[in-house]
Amino acid sequence: MTRILLSLGAILICLRMTSQIPLTITEFDFATTPLINIAVGDADANGKTDIYVIAEGAQKITRLTNLGNGTAFTSANYLALTKQPESVGVISLNGGDDLYYTLEGDKGMYTLYSKDPWNSEKKDGPVLLDTIGGITQAHLKTFNYPRLVMTSDTAGDLHFVEIINGSFNVIFAISSYSINTTITPGQMSSFVQVDTITYFVPDVLSGLLLRGSVIWNSAINQLFYQEPLEVIDTDLQHPMSSFTYTDAAGSKLLFVLDTGKNEIYKYVFQEESFEKTTIDAAFTSPSLMSFGYIDNDTLPDLVVADGSNLWLLSNAPSRSLQPELIMSYEEPIGEFYLADFNNDGIDDIVSVPVSRNKVLVSRNDILSGTQPVEFLPFGYWPNPAQHELYFNPGQKPAWVKFISADGRSYVPQIEDRAIVLNGIPSGIYTVQTGLDSSLFIDKVYIQN
């Protein structure tokens, strides 16, 4: 039998690793079956984020099941497959965390409904998303509409695909709209305002940043209008990824990582125009970036992988501080994600080195100790909500965090009787609420 884990659950104390913030590091050894890809999500909807792994020579997806404290995980075969999987990811198609994956030699992408308010775990089985041109999941982009995704194919075309329910609770995919291009897209991002989706596509090879928009008709759940792609920035070399952020005042910001110039650019939009600035961080070889909440304030942070170093840019939307070193690993970082594994309201880090021989879970210990999770709702109303969520005034939360299916986090303003939802897009969110020594988990639908 192929050995998957050699040291499951062992806390790694490594003298060659240095950290500027307190971290507890747990290592999971995959030396005998090198890793291809990992993903993080809560597919069993138990309020704990797990890690999904595909490895060479293994026709299956393995799950590292989170036991709740951010350092203890157990390994289990999650999904048996007929071929070698090539990539895996997590999206939200109907209110919960759902898996998607590709198989070696197959064109297209498979989706798998996981557990959520409407479906038991893996109930519907895998669904082939599309085969036009060979869709690649590396650039899958979900929106706030539960079953609409955007993806690219191996020919460089972009596709909007809707996943719908049929009779007998069977799901299937239809291609709603396709855009013919010849680009090599990096990580795409978008803003959503009412029913208008404005999306951004970095073209890795040409160095162009493109923008397009479509309108989604909520009444009939269909796309019915689109604006053609336009180039909005030609002064890039190798744009790999992009992230969007809308602050509490409604300001729209776009961040783009350019690995050709070793820079991160911030675009602040006013209607159709924007102001572009460079984030002064003096990176030498940045390769990956992600948004999250790493320090103990309520402002979003940008985390950047630069060689073997992981850097924190605290309060990225209005940052004026110098980058802070989070961690120096033994070798360059090949892949990393931010997720709250111990439900303390602060993001932890899961990473894979370029050698693909291990998974490192770095629990963020800025907060002293963890909080027990209460698997009962806190008691917010109304649900769905538009502008505010109300709670019992005698039980005011200490803090609240909204987490979208794609991992975006929002920390709203807490008033005496309500949570203010300004700047949080429409969608279904996991809501973490801290009160006294406990943490509560809710599912809330925001409908702006």
Side-chain angles (χ1 to χ4, degrees):
M1 180 180 295
T2 302
R3 183 173 56 178
I4 298 296
L5 295 178
L6 297 180
S7 56
L8 183 63
I11 296 178
L12 174 70
I13 301 175
C14 182
L15 298 178
R16 286 180 290 175
M17 289 185 183
T18 59
S19 171
Q20 302 300 304
I21 65 173
L23 298 174
T24 299
I25 302 173
T26 308
E27 178 181 313
F28 306 99
D29 194 341
F30 283 84
T32 60
T33 51
L35 294 165
I36 298 174
N37 194 206
I38 67 170
V40 295
D42 182 18
D44 55 6
N46 68 349
K48 301 174 185 178
T49 300
D50 304 312
I51 304 170
Y52 297 86
V53 176
I54 56 175
E56 291 182 8
Q59 294 184 2
K60 61 184 177 181
I61 297 175
T62 299
R63 178 166 70 184
L64 302 182
T65 304
N66 180 9
L67 301 184
N69 70 350
T71 61
F73 295 77
T74 60
S75 175
N77 295 335
Y78 185 72
L79 186 65
L81 300 169
T82 58
K83 295 182 178 181
Q84 169 72 57
E86 292 187 323
S87 53
V88 64
V90 173
I91 55 175
S92 177
L93 298 174
N94 60 345
D97 285 353
D98 304 300
L99 289 185
Y100 62 95
Y101 58 92
T102 56
L103 296 177
E104 186 177 37
D106 284 8
K107 291 184 176 181
M109 180 194 315
Y110 295 89
T111 66
L112 181 73
Y113 270 14
S114 299
K115 187 176 181 181
D116 50 47
W118 295 276
N119 289 277
S120 60
E121 191 171 6
K122 297 184 286 189
K123 177 178 180 179
D124 292 311
V127 174
L128 185 62
L129 190 65
D130 206 320
T131 58
I132 302 173
I135 280 181
T136 58
Q137 75 173 37
H139 309 297
L140 187 70
K141 169 63 188 169
T142 58
F143 302 102
N144 295 321
Y145 307 103
R147 297 182 180 90
L148 180 66
V149 299
M150 180 182 181
T151 186
S152 62
D153 64 24
T154 53
D157 294 338
L158 304 179
H159 302 274
F160 290 91
V161 181
E162 182 189 356
I163 299 176
I164 61 177
N165 279 344
S167 58
F168 306 106
N169 201 27
V170 175
I171 61 172
F172 57 95
I174 61 173
S175 183
S176 300
Y177 186 78
S178 297
I179 303 172
N180 296 323
T181 71
T182 57
I183 63 177
T184 303
Q187 184 174 359
M188 301 180 287
S189 57
S190 66
F191 295 121
V192 178
Q193 186 172 6
V194 190
D195 279 355
T196 300
I197 301 169
T198 301
Y199 60 93
F200 301 91
V201 185
D203 185 359
V204 178
L205 296 184
S206 73
L208 302 176
L209 179 62
L210 301 100
R211 174 175 62 186
S213 64
V214 294
I215 296 178
W216 173 265
N217 188 329
S218 297
I220 59 175
N221 289 327
Q222 285 186 0
L223 290 173
F224 73 99
Y225 179 77
Q226 66 88 23
E227 291 285 348
L229 280 170
E230 61 171 335
V231 177
I232 64 171
D233 193 351
T234 60
D235 192 27
L236 301 170
Q237 286 187 5
H238 205 256
M240 286 295 297
S241 62
S242 64
F243 276 96
T244 53
Y245 176 75
T246 303
D247 64 18
S251 298
K252 292 180 170 57
L253 292 80
L254 170 70
F255 296 83
V256 175
L257 170 62
D258 187 345
T259 58
K261 293 187 175 182
N262 294 330
E263 300 283 6
I264 296 177
Y265 299 103
K266 179 171 72 173
Y267 302 75
V268 181
F269 286 86
Q270 296 291 337
E271 300 299 334
E272 296 298 315
S273 62
F274 60 86
E275 179 182 349
K276 175 186 174 185
T277 57
T278 302
I279 294 181
D280 185 14
F283 294 120
T284 57
S285 56
S287 57
L288 303 163
M289 69 175 183
S290 184
F291 261 109
Y293 292 83
I294 299 297
D295 49 22
N296 57 357
D297 60 28
T298 60
L299 302 171
D301 309 309
L302 188 63
V303 177
V304 180
D306 185 18
S308 59
N309 296 324
L310 204 61
W311 294 92
L312 167 66
L313 281 70
S314 181
N315 187 15
S318 57
R319 192 186 71 84
S320 59
L321 302 176
Q322 291 299 310
E324 178 183 357
L325 183 65
I326 298 176
M327 170 66 71
S328 291
Y329 292 97
E330 293 179 337
E331 59 180 297
I333 301 163
E335 187 177 358
F336 84 92
Y337 298 93
L338 304 179
D340 186 2
F341 288 110
N342 60 338
N343 287 318
D344 64 354
I346 301 294
D347 282 329
D348 309 299
I349 304 157
V350 57
S351 61
V352 176
V354 292
S355 63
R356 317 299 297 184
N357 64 352
K358 67 185 70 173
V359 173
L360 296 172
V361 179
S362 303
R363 189 182 71 187
N364 187 344
D365 292 327
I366 282 183
L367 298 182
S368 57
T370 62
Q371 297 167 291
V373 178
E374 303 287 345
F375 292 103
L376 293 173
F378 187 74
Y380 294 112
W381 77 89
N383 190 5
Q386 287 187 306
H387 307 295
E388 293 181 328
L389 271 178
Y390 299 99
F391 54 84
N392 186 334
Q395 199 177 29
K396 183 177 180 179
W399 58 268
V400 176
K401 182 164 74 170
F402 287 75
I403 304 172
S404 65
D406 61 357
R408 299 290 183 92
S409 298
Y410 302 86
V411 177
Q413 178 184 347
I414 305 175
E415 297 185 345
D416 288 340
R417 294 174 177 269
I419 306 296
V420 181
L421 302 178
N422 292 345
I424 303 180
S426 297
I428 298 176
Y429 292 85
T430 298
V431 182
Q432 297 178 350
T433 302
L435 178 67
D436 298 329
S437 60
S438 297
L439 184 140
F440 297 82
I441 303 294
D442 291 80
K443 287 283 188 181
V444 171
Y445 180 32
I446 297 177
Q447 190 173 25
N448 295 328

